[in-house]
Amino acid sequence: MPIVYSFENGDALSGGLNRFVQTESRKAIADHGYFSVAISGGSLPKILSKELAFNENVEFSKWHLFWADERCVGYDDADSNYLEVKKSLLNHIPQIPQENIHPIHEQYAIAKDAEKAASEYEQQLEGFFKNTLPSFDLLLLGMGPDGHCCSLFPGHPLLEERTRWVAPIVDSPKPPPERITLTYPVVNNSKLVVFVTAGDGKKEMVQQIIEQPEKNLPCQRVQPVNGKVYWFIDHAAAANLRKESCSEYKL
């Protein structure tokens, strides 16, 4: 069962997430000298960055930032997950060295060549993780209204991908159609996975994912082999959950 933390409002949610990330960053850096993070797009970067972007107790110079999925568009395109993270987080944190920021290959993305973009991104992971199956210290994910995460959509063949670390997708049910995404072998090799979502519009899907495991939705398939899954949500998104489904937030 995932550990669910529900917060009164968006500010409290951002504050709780900020403290959690600060703690995990410190532990990882003390253990192996860096903090590897993969992040998705949507509302997540804004919620994450509200306090974290201004947290002086985080050793951002030791961070390595990757993307859990990305759209095949240029870095300055409104659909770019990179752009969202850059605006919300990176523009406020010059301490992260440029070489520690690992976005999609922009030329392949602009050309809509999802296959080449996925292969190149897998090479980036091979280089960083020294040809071993990637194990991110922290994987930060959002939740789609259909229960998708990364660019892993309900009923899509990529749910069964077991060989590639990064897969191309050219028929995303949500535009733009061309994307790249981490696959479950990588997702489920993460040390920590944190889902972040908020708002009244998410309450029905949150309830299904947390309390109806038999639905086997993409978010529910996130089950790290040696890690934990946390959900950071606000009370509005948690409105349909049973009280016992939520845990008291503590670090």
Side-chain angles (χ1 to χ4, degrees):
M1 273 287 287
I3 298 161
V4 181
Y5 294 141
S6 176
F7 298 85
E8 186 171 352
N9 53 42
D11 287 345
L13 169 55
S14 293
L17 186 59
N18 169 59
R19 293 190 296 278
F20 182 90
V21 172
Q22 176 185 320
T23 300
E24 295 304 327
S25 173
R26 187 174 65 243
K27 288 196 291 195
I29 291 166
D31 180 65
H32 47 265
Y34 63 84
F35 189 47
S36 59
V37 181
I39 186 170
S40 57
S43 59
L44 167 60
K46 285 192 181 73
I47 297 171
L48 173 70
S49 63
K50 192 160 191 177
E51 288 196 22
L52 184 67
F54 309 99
N55 188 335
E56 295 179 357
N57 296 313
V58 176
E59 201 174 354
F60 286 114
S61 63
K62 303 283 179 67
W63 277 41
H64 278 266
L65 193 59
F66 295 83
W67 274 259
D69 70 319
E70 182 57 282
R71 290 82 177 265
C72 287
V73 295
Y75 292 164
D76 59 353
D77 191 286
D79 281 329
S80 167
N81 286 342
Y82 167 79
L83 179 64
E84 196 56 54
V85 174
K86 183 175 185 290
K87 287 192 303 187
S88 300
L89 203 61
L90 298 179
N91 284 351
H92 306 287
I93 309 176
Q95 306 95 299
I96 302 182
Q98 196 61 40
E99 62 268 23
N100 290 15
I101 300 168
H102 307 274
I104 193 173
H105 188 290
E106 189 176 28
Q107 285 170 297
Y108 295 154
I110 290 172
K112 309 287 185 199
D113 196 332
E115 177 60 53
K116 279 188 179 174
S119 296
E120 192 278 337
Y121 209 71
E122 192 162 306
Q123 287 171 8
Q124 289 195 49
L125 294 182
E126 287 171 353
F128 182 76
F129 289 101
K130 299 180 170 51
N131 292 314
T132 60
L133 182 64
S135 181
F136 288 105
D137 294 311
L138 177 62
L139 179 56
L140 288 159
L141 300 177
M143 178 204 77
D146 56 355
H148 85 262
C149 59
C150 303
S151 281
L152 298 165
F153 293 92
H156 196 280
L158 278 185
L159 298 180
E160 308 308 326
E161 175 61 52
R162 295 292 176 264
T163 307
R164 300 184 73 154
W165 296 354
V166 184
I169 177 168
V170 295
D171 56 354
S172 165
K174 183 180 174 188
E178 300 91 3
R179 300 160 174 240
I180 65 172
T181 183
L182 296 181
T183 59
Y184 282 115
V186 174
V187 168
N188 284 330
N189 203 43
S190 300
K191 299 184 180 88
L192 278 175
V193 180
V194 174
F195 284 95
V196 180
T197 196
D200 181 74
K202 300 296 182 77
K203 66 185 179 186
E204 290 180 7
M205 184 53 67
V206 165
Q207 190 277 330
Q208 289 182 44
I209 289 168
I210 302 301
E211 296 181 350
Q212 300 181 53
E214 70 280 358
K215 287 190 169 286
N216 202 26
L217 291 159
C219 287
Q220 293 170 314
R221 290 174 173 232
V222 177
Q223 300 173 10
V225 180
N226 296 304
K228 291 182 177 176
V229 178
Y230 291 86
W231 283 75
F232 279 69
I233 60 180
D234 64 358
H235 285 353
N240 287 8
L241 290 176
R242 298 191 299 265
K243 189 178 179 184
E244 57 267 27
S245 293
C246 297
S247 299
E248 182 187 352
Y249 174 72
K250 58 182 187 295
L251 295 179

